[in-house]
Amino acid sequence: MINKFENKIRSISDWPQKGVNFRDITPVLQDKKMFRDLINELAKPYLKKKIDIVVAIDARGFLLAAPVAYKLGAGVALVRKKGKLPYKTISTKYDLEYASNILEMHRDAILPGQRVLLVDDVLATGGTMEASIKLAKQLGGKIIGAAFFIELKALNGKKKLKNCPITSLVKY
Amino acid sequence: MINKFENKIRSISDWPQKGVNFRDITPVLQDKKMFRDLINELAKPYLKKKIDIVVAIDARGFLLAAPVAYKLGAGVALVRKKGKLPYKTISTKYDLEYASNILEMHRDAILPGQRVLLVDDVLATGGTMEASIKLAKQLGGKIIGAAFFIELKALNGKKKLKNCPITSLVKY
């Protein structure tokens, strides 16, 4: 059965580099009914999980994490690329699908003991999420789960995140 | 009277460069009650304006625009820095507070006649918003307004946006 979101996700060949088939979610975001359903379905598994704070990953993750936090009545904590956060930070290096980079969080972004949900658009190799979980734990957060819109199964990102419950809405 | 958000906005001196007093909104986002109030108050003037699509400006704007769109039952259209959007784009050059850059939108991000609200975190010189309005109009959008969390009055950004109704929650 084709998931209702699948027809709206646009495949872009060879972007951002040759050999990559990029899944463009912007047609889903632009459709008001589809966007509403997307946020509701991302949030659904966590409605009764007493999430305190949703970790939003720079930059496409912001688009999903912030409305999921709003829906759950939680706050938002940012994971950003190096140099984007103005206050005192903690950082970690990570490998992603086509490069490597440094991610940061503000030192006060999560309070010790807070119940944390992480949200991102795509689970690829899992490197970005693994690094984000590491940062959230370092701040004392209790990781409740990670929610993705899309999971690229062939890249086996779940393996890297084995101690974190994962939910995703569309699998390729 | 001190606005309830003001005590939570953190001022960072000399960031991202000397002489700039940066307004860090992350403490507001992290506070669940404050974040909920922020989104509700940003959306409030537009609840009955039949907004079809909310334009989200890369990257901090994403954090406010997406939940405002969710609240309004609208879709989300992205304005991103050059090279970040995978599909066919339109673009425009803009000047911002401390540099100049190119902004892009997907060609199908807004449908002709759609009622558009633009959302960003800070109104500074107005350059980024002016460029975003230009792009949204080029796609045939009907501009209903622009909502900001913070307005830096001394920079007089409103002057650049004189044909667009502006709302903001905190003024400095």
Side-chain angles (χ1 to χ4, degrees):
Chain A
M1 198 190 78
I2 297 230
N3 179 302
K4 68 180 160 183
F5 298 116
E6 262 182 87
N7 290 324
K8 275 278 181 182
I9 296 170
R10 181 159 51 196
S11 289
I12 313 257
S13 304
D14 298 322
W15 198 91
Q17 64 182 44
K18 204 161 166 57
V20 176
N21 184 25
F22 186 80
R23 307 295 180 167
D24 175 19
I25 67 167
T26 61
V28 178
L29 304 179
Q30 288 156 211
D31 181 318
K32 57 176 90 170
K33 170 76 169 65
M34 201 69 85
F35 177 62
R36 188 156 194 88
D37 289 351
L38 170 57
I39 299 309
N40 289 342
E41 295 194 21
L42 279 169
K44 198 172 176 188
Y46 305 98
L47 287 172
K48 295 184 175 168
K49 299 285 188 185
K50 298 179 179 151
I51 302 298
D52 293 306
I53 195 139
V54 175
V55 170
I57 300 172
D58 195 349
R60 275 188 302 272
F62 289 1
L63 295 161
L64 306 180
V68 166
Y70 180 78
K71 169 80 179 171
L72 294 174
V76 178
L78 310 188
V79 168
R80 298 209 67 179
K81 285 150 201 159
K82 188 176 164 60
K84 297 280 188 183
L85 290 169
Y87 188 61
K88 294 174 207 160
T89 57
I90 58 168
S91 70
T92 188
K93 198 170 171 233
Y94 74 113
D95 297 311
L96 78 168
E97 200 180 349
Y98 358 92
S100 120
N101 219 330
I102 291 172
L103 290 180
E104 298 184 328
M105 290 188 83
H106 274 160
R107 282 195 194 173
D108 63 353
I110 295 172
L111 303 176
Q114 281 194 316
R115 295 170 64 83
V116 177
L117 170 66
L118 302 100
V119 175
D120 206 358
D121 60 337
V122 176
L123 173 56
T125 66
T128 305
M129 187 53 80
E130 185 186 30
S132 302
I133 290 170
K134 189 175 154 192
L135 291 172
K137 279 185 175 168
Q138 200 178 322
L139 294 174
K142 183 170 162 48
I143 309 301
I144 306 303
F148 298 92
F149 181 14
I150 294 169
E151 181 182 341
L152 305 177
K153 295 184 77 168
L155 296 172
N156 205 12
K158 263 192 178 165
K159 211 175 75 181
K160 273 209 181 99
L161 312 175
K162 51 183 172 299
N163 295 318
C164 177
I166 302 292
T167 53
S168 65
L169 303 181
V170 176
K171 292 168 181 57
Y172 290 103
Chain B
M1 198 189 76
I2 296 228
N3 179 301
K4 67 180 162 185
F5 298 117
E6 262 183 86
N7 289 324
K8 277 278 181 183
I9 295 170
R10 181 160 50 197
S11 290
I12 314 256
S13 303
D14 298 321
W15 198 91
Q17 63 182 46
K18 204 162 167 54
V20 176
N21 184 26
F22 185 80
R23 306 295 179 167
D24 176 20
I25 67 167
T26 62
V28 178
L29 305 179
Q30 288 156 211
D31 181 317
K32 57 176 87 169
K33 171 74 169 64
M34 202 69 86
F35 177 61
R36 188 155 194 88
D37 288 350
L38 170 57
I39 300 309
N40 288 342
E41 294 194 21
L42 279 169
K44 199 173 176 188
Y46 305 98
L47 287 172
K48 296 186 174 166
K49 298 285 189 185
K50 297 178 179 155
I51 302 298
D52 293 306
I53 194 138
V54 175
V55 171
I57 300 173
D58 196 349
R60 276 188 303 270
F62 290 1
L63 294 160
L64 305 180
V68 166
Y70 180 79
K71 170 79 178 173
L72 294 175
V76 178
L78 310 188
V79 168
R80 298 209 67 178
K81 285 150 200 159
K82 187 176 165 61
K84 296 281 188 183
L85 290 170
Y87 187 62
K88 295 174 204 160
T89 56
I90 59 168
S91 70
T92 187
K93 196 166 172 237
Y94 73 113
D95 296 310
L96 77 167
E97 200 180 349
Y98 358 93
S100 120
N101 219 329
I102 291 173
L103 290 181
E104 298 184 327
M105 290 188 84
H106 275 160
R107 282 194 194 174
D108 63 354
I110 295 172
L111 303 176
Q114 281 193 316
R115 294 170 65 82
V116 177
L117 170 66
L118 302 100
V119 176
D120 206 357
D121 59 338
V122 177
L123 173 56
T125 65
T128 305
M129 186 53 80
E130 184 185 32
S132 301
I133 290 171
K134 189 176 155 191
L135 291 172
K137 280 185 174 167
Q138 199 177 324
L139 294 174
K142 181 169 163 49
I143 309 301
I144 306 303
F148 298 92
F149 181 14
I150 294 168
E151 181 182 343
L152 305 177
K153 294 184 76 168
L155 296 172
N156 204 11
K158 264 192 176 165
K159 211 176 76 182
K160 272 208 180 100
L161 312 174
K162 50 182 173 296
N163 295 317
C164 176
I166 302 293
T167 52
S168 64
L169 303 182
V170 176
K171 293 168 179 59
Y172 291 103

